[in-house]
């Protein structure tokens, strides 16, 4: 199904037209909780992009070379979540060993990523749409980059709103959801650019 | 078996302490299916099943789980129940299973389930935990159904696929597109918070 699609088209589509958060609602929890501050939002965006890119490819190999030959496809949710958790743990150890500075700035977000819906969502989309490994890699990267772009933009907008007079019941989550809605509408404007969803 | 305290907790989870409206947890995965009441109902039932039973299981195992691996154990318990729901849907409701796509699997990463397991089931007895999980799931499902009700009625002019509005009424195309889920949800939060204004002012 996805074989004839150009991987770069998939990447652009994943980043802009079918953005993880704005059109698939994936990764909302941390999206709302962490977008108060531009710097931390940037750190989380970077971490999500990195993990999403690599776990997508990793799970692609696990699915096609281990689960399918063994006929264990019904276990895939459990296996995928274990792969993601293990990868995040491994990444944490590697970053801690080689770049303590990066570890300190990124460290707190890494454990959060295991339960970020965007990661598992990216993997499941790749399996359902039957991407090849290369398509999966670029799809993972594009999705992550799109998520990163969206959280940084949201954090910047929220920073501007801090001083504004918002109805008290709408303050916090309510107004954030409305901002996300308007951003999602703006991203729909990209949809003419790429012919696939 | 069910004391007054349990009952109070049960009802609070439905509205006053609603996981979505007040705690803002787990709006991730399930918002995507709210443009259709049928899908939303199936999803909500699946969620209540998983939340209830995983809270029960976590609570049953709470004295046997070492503290440092409890997250992994919880995720595995939740994932097993999600596999059950997914297999059931594939076998009996294949069409709905296809239209829900990856979102059934994404129940695993729904923060509500982990949140209840961690905050409640870890420190309470199994029966209380089961009720707490079920009520959180129902409270969550209710909000989803409200969103789906508005979106399907205005977007398609129908409810559960039955056309209700006359043909002459214009469908709001925006309601079937993703942004409307955010707007409808923001409005529901706005309305829900109005009576509890003082309580939530500090947020």
């Amino acid at each position: 199904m996805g074989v004839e699609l150009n991987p770069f088209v998939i990447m652009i589509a994943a980043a802009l037209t079918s953005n993880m958060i704005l059109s698939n609602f994936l990764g909302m929890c941390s999206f709302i909780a962490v977008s108060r501050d531009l710097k931390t939002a940037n750190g989380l965006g970077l971490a999500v992009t990195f993990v999403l890119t690599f776990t997508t490819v990793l799970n692609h190999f696990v699915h096609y070379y281990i689960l399918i030959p063994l006929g264990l496809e019904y276990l895939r949710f459990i296996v995928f979540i274990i792969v993601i958790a293990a990868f995040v743990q491994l990444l944490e150890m590697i970053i801690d060993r080689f770049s303590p500075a990066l570890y300190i700035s990124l460290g707190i977000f890494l454990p959060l990523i295991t339960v970020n819906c965007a990661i598992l969502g990216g993997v499941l989309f790749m399996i359902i749409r039957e991407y090849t490994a290369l398509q999966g890699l670029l799809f993972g990267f594009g999705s992550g980059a799109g998520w990163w772009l969206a959280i940084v933009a949201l954090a910047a907008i929220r920073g501007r709103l801090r001083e504004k007079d918002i109805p008290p019941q709408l303050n916090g989550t309510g107004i954030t959801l409305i901002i996300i809605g308007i951003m999602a509408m703006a991203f729909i404007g990209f949809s003419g650019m790429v012919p696939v969803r | 078996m069910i004391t007054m305290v349990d009952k109070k907790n049960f009802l609070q989870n439905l509205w006053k302490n609603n996981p979505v409206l007040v705690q803002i947890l787990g709006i991730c995965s399930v918002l995507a299916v709210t443009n259709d009441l049928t899908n939303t109902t199936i999803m909500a039932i699946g969620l209540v099943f998983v939340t209830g039973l995983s809270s029960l299981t976590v609570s049953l195992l709470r004295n046997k789980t070492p503290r440092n691996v409890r997250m992994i154990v919880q995720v595995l318990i939740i994932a097993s129940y999600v596999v059950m729901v997914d297999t059931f849907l594939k076998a009996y409701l294949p069409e709905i299973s296809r239209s829900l796509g990856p979102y059934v699997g994404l129940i695993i990463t729904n923060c509500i389930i982990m949140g209840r397991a961690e905050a409640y089931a870890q420190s309470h007895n199994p029966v209380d935990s089961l009720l707490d999980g079920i009520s959180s799931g129902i409270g969550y499902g209710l909000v989803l159904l409200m969103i789906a009700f508005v979106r399907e009625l205005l977007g398609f002019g129908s409810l559960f696929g039955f056309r209700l509005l006359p043909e002459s009424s214009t469908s709001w195309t925006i309601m079937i597109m993703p942004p409307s889920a955010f707007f409808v949800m923001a409005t529901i939060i706005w309305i829900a918070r109005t009576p509890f204004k003082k309580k939530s002012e500090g947020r």
Side-chain angles (χ1 to χ4, degrees), chain A residues 21-29 32 74-78 81-82 85 89 114-118 120-122 124-125 128 167-175 177-182 184-185 188 197, chain B residues 24-29 31-33 72 75-76 79-80 82-83 86-87 90 101-106 108-111 114 151 174 177-179 181-183 185-187 189-190 193-194 197 200-201 203:
Chain A
I21 185 107
L22 298 174
S23 63
N24 293 325
F25 308 97
L26 296 175
M28 288 287 288
C29 298
I32 291 178
Y74 63 93
L75 278 180
R76 63 184 187 189
F77 294 147
I78 299 181
I81 203 87
I82 293 173
Q89 194 82 58
T114 312
V115 288
N116 190 324
C117 333
L120 187 63
L124 292 178
F125 270 126
I128 286 175
Q169 298 85 13
L170 205 55
N171 212 345
T173 321
I175 196 72
L177 284 168
I178 292 179
I179 300 169
I180 301 173
I182 296 172
M185 278 169 77
I188 288 179
R197 269 192 68 79
Chain B
I24 320 295
L25 273 180
I27 26 186
C28 337
S29 50
L31 216 49
V33 296
I72 306 262
V75 169
L76 287 181
S80 328
V82 172
V83 171
D86 187 52
T87 317
K90 269 198 189 122
Y103 293 103
V104 178
L106 286 169
I108 299 174
T109 51
N110 193 313
C111 333
M114 276 288 259
R151 288 184 73 188
I174 183 81
M177 300 209 290
F182 297 113
F183 293 134
M185 180 142 167
T187 316
I189 289 180
W190 191 357
R193 281 200 179 163
T194 308
K197 190 179 160 191
S200 53
E201 229 161 8
R203 284 180 161 274

